[in-house]
Amino acid sequence: MSPRPTNDLFDAYFTLEGMRRIFSNEGRVQGMLAFEAALARAQARTGLIPASAPPEIEAACHAHLYDLDALALAIGGGGNSAIPLVKMLGKRVAAQAPDAERYVHLGATSQDVMDTGLVLQLRDAIELFDRRLAGLTNCLAEQAQRYRTTPMPGRTWLQHATPVTLGMKIAGWLGALDRHRQRLLELKPRLLVLQFGGASGTLAALGEHAWPVAEALADELKLGLPEQPWHTHRDRLVEFGTVLGLLAGTLGKMGRDISLLMQTEAGEVFEPSAPGKGGSSTMPHKRNPVGAAVLIATATRAPGLVSTLLSAMPQEHERSLGLWHAEWDTLPELCCLVSGALEHAIGFAEGFEVDAERMGHNLQLTQGLVMAEAVSIELSQRLGRETAHHLVERCCKRAVAEGRHLRAVLGDEPQVTAELSPTELDRLLDPAHYLGQAERWVARAVAEHTRTAE
């Protein structure tokens, strides 16, 4: 059989290898087979099937035993992956233990297999996300402290505003990522639950054994037993998807900030350099923010995937036609995309380069105008708000028109010098003296990180 075409050229760039492995074809099939093996064990525990059957079924529940290309083709006729897989499983069991074949998939339905298999994959995915988020946030906490007093231009509407610190900017990323990590942990009890309802959700095929089997199956898989089957109630999966969308958005904001700080005109913070990284095919001098590009691309693609999950929620009656199918590739793709962005963010956080001297230089690009607010606030206490504002505004316009530093213009203004001494003006025009609560915000973000990480 000829191999099916693949489209994985960009996987190494956009996806973490460990996440791609979780959601590989083998990973999907193994999740479903894990359900079938656990179902047999649970039914034997409750006396529904002979104790001799589970070992025979389990022996056939290994993804490497199956022709995944043949399975892919069979899905087209079956309408889902469980129907042909269960047939293949039954044939394999029958070849070794004919008596055990009758107990394969007993009382379950295709969606039980697929949804529970997906939940098992998502459990691994959450563990991977949590580990990598822990690494990223720990690193950002260290960097925020390291640069807590390093002044740089604050930028609003892409224009220089008042000074901030690099540590404060990093602390902003840290706080949001810590909240996303907490969200992932909080949703685990709701998400990591068994799907087991049989044909229409009643488990009628199992008779009086239904509830004991359900309890034993949940125990075998170490999943929660929900209050009822959730075949057409997809809020659990969609909640997880929306949290990944939030995480993608924050990583995208981080990538956007990094790329803007790397611009030639700014040149304040840079992604770590490495041989062959960020170069151009024609321009030897280029140092492109290739990691930031992944973060921004992920944040751009994620909303569409989350939208698909939300759009697929109004599922009809006890089993959906088409809406359930729309989920199959959506959540795995979202997990893979966000994992890749997360990995690039870790690479940045571990080794980004800072040009503090350039930050200081950029703070002076407007020749003191970024400190106009500080002067205005100080004068407002002596002259009144409106008078002070208009006075400093007039001085700013003159500084621009004459190409002079604001400090020089203020020093020539009698109404200003009557209120502020040269020493006071020098202090007010020094960015290091106008950082407000920046250092405190860093301390609070790091303290909150430490508390939530415990």
Side-chain angles (χ1 to χ4, degrees):
M1 182 180 295
S2 61
R4 288 175 288 112
T6 59
N7 184 28
D8 57 2
L9 192 62
F10 300 113
D11 278 1
Y13 187 37
F14 284 108
T15 302
L16 179 62
E17 181 182 355
M19 192 66 75
R20 180 61 67 185
R21 190 162 49 246
I22 291 172
F23 290 105
S24 65
N25 291 336
E26 291 78 7
R28 294 190 190 211
V29 170
Q30 190 57 57
M32 292 188 286
L33 292 173
F35 171 88
E36 295 292 353
L39 177 62
R41 294 195 302 270
Q43 292 176 339
R45 280 175 55 179
T46 57
L48 180 61
I49 67 175
S52 59
E56 301 294 345
I57 295 173
E58 282 189 279
C61 287
H62 300 284
H64 70 271
L65 299 173
Y66 295 86
D67 184 340
L68 300 187
D69 289 330
L71 176 62
L73 292 175
I75 289 172
N80 66 55
S81 56
I83 291 174
L85 180 62
V86 170
K87 288 182 180 179
M88 292 178 179
L89 173 61
K91 289 180 180 179
R92 184 167 289 277
V93 172
Q96 300 298 322
D99 291 340
E101 187 272 338
R102 72 187 69 180
Y103 304 118
V104 170
H105 194 65
L106 182 62
T109 193
S110 298
Q111 193 166 348
D112 293 337
V113 183
M114 291 181 65
D115 279 350
T116 301
L118 174 62
V119 168
L120 296 176
Q121 291 177 286
L122 294 181
R123 180 166 62 189
D124 291 341
I126 289 179
E127 290 177 0
L128 183 53
F129 276 129
D130 186 60
R131 289 197 303 271
R132 303 312 286 157
L133 272 171
L136 174 57
T137 53
N138 286 339
C139 190
L140 288 177
E142 294 177 5
Q143 299 284 30
Q145 289 178 301
R146 178 174 295 120
Y147 297 107
R148 65 187 182 278
T149 60
T150 303
M152 65 185 300
R155 294 171 170 97
T156 61
W157 289 44
L158 296 177
Q159 308 296 308
H160 282 203
T162 57
V164 296
T165 69
L166 177 58
M168 176 180 162
K169 185 180 291 289
I170 296 171
W173 305 335
L174 170 64
L177 292 169
D178 272 333
R179 291 191 292 276
H180 299 325
R181 187 183 179 205
Q182 191 63 29
R183 289 181 178 108
L184 285 174
L185 294 176
E186 289 170 352
L187 65 77
K188 285 175 66 175
R190 293 187 292 275
L191 176 66
L192 302 182
V193 297
L194 177 69
Q195 174 75 287
F196 189 49
S200 296
T202 65
L203 288 176
L206 296 180
E208 63 182 15
H209 288 89
W211 190 249
V213 169
E215 290 182 314
L217 179 55
D219 180 64
E220 287 285 342
L221 293 171
K222 299 297 183 286
L223 294 175
L225 182 58
E227 81 288 350
Q228 58 185 302
W230 44 277
H231 294 113
T232 51
H233 293 278
R234 314 303 284 179
D235 57 287
R236 292 178 170 88
L237 300 181
V238 178
E239 180 185 15
F240 178 59
T242 55
V243 171
L244 291 187
L246 289 171
L247 176 54
T250 292
L251 292 172
K253 189 270 192 291
M254 184 176 171
R256 185 74 72 188
D257 284 349
I258 295 165
S259 62
L260 291 173
L261 293 173
M262 280 186 68
Q263 278 190 296
T264 304
E265 292 79 3
E268 296 173 357
V269 179
F270 300 88
E271 290 184 0
S273 61
K277 181 180 180 181
S280 165
S281 62
T282 59
M283 295 172 284
H285 70 281
K286 290 294 291 296
R287 185 173 177 181
N288 294 320
V290 294
V294 174
L295 274 62
I296 295 170
T298 297
T300 303
R301 295 171 65 183
L305 297 171
V306 175
S307 177
T308 297
L309 295 174
L310 288 166
S311 298
M313 285 190 73
Q315 299 193 6
E316 59 277 9
H317 302 307
E318 282 66 53
R319 198 66 54 81
S320 178
L321 173 68
L323 296 178
W324 176 47
H325 300 66
E327 300 173 353
W328 292 352
D329 281 336
T330 303
L331 202 49
E333 183 179 355
L334 190 55
C335 287
C336 289
L337 274 176
V338 176
S339 73
L342 188 56
E343 202 65 13
H344 281 280
I346 291 171
F348 169 79
E350 288 178 341
F352 66 82
E353 300 170 20
V354 175
D355 190 338
E357 184 177 347
R358 181 65 177 266
M359 290 177 178
H361 170 77
N362 288 345
L363 279 167
Q364 298 301 324
L365 283 178
T366 59
Q367 299 196 82
L369 295 183
V370 294
M371 301 306 299
E373 182 189 74
V375 179
S376 180
I377 293 296
E378 184 66 28
L379 284 174
S380 69
Q381 306 304 309
R382 311 182 191 198
L383 302 175
R385 181 185 177 280
E386 285 297 317
T387 300
H389 180 82
H390 290 304
L391 173 60
V392 175
E393 184 179 41
R394 188 169 66 249
C395 290
C396 288
K397 290 180 179 179
R398 193 190 316 156
V400 173
E402 298 174 3
R404 301 170 65 201
H405 197 283
L406 180 60
R407 170 65 179 84
V409 174
L410 290 170
D412 290 345
E413 175 58 55
Q415 200 173 357
V416 173
T417 57
E419 302 294 337
L420 299 173
S421 69
T423 300
E424 288 176 307
L425 279 175
D426 289 341
R427 179 181 60 80
L428 289 169
L429 270 294
D430 184 352
H433 290 145
Y434 201 65
L435 298 175
Q437 301 298 307
E439 194 169 354
R440 176 173 289 181
W441 298 146
V442 172
R444 286 174 62 84
V446 171
E448 181 65 12
H449 167 72
T450 301
R451 185 188 68 79
T452 57
E454 292 175 350

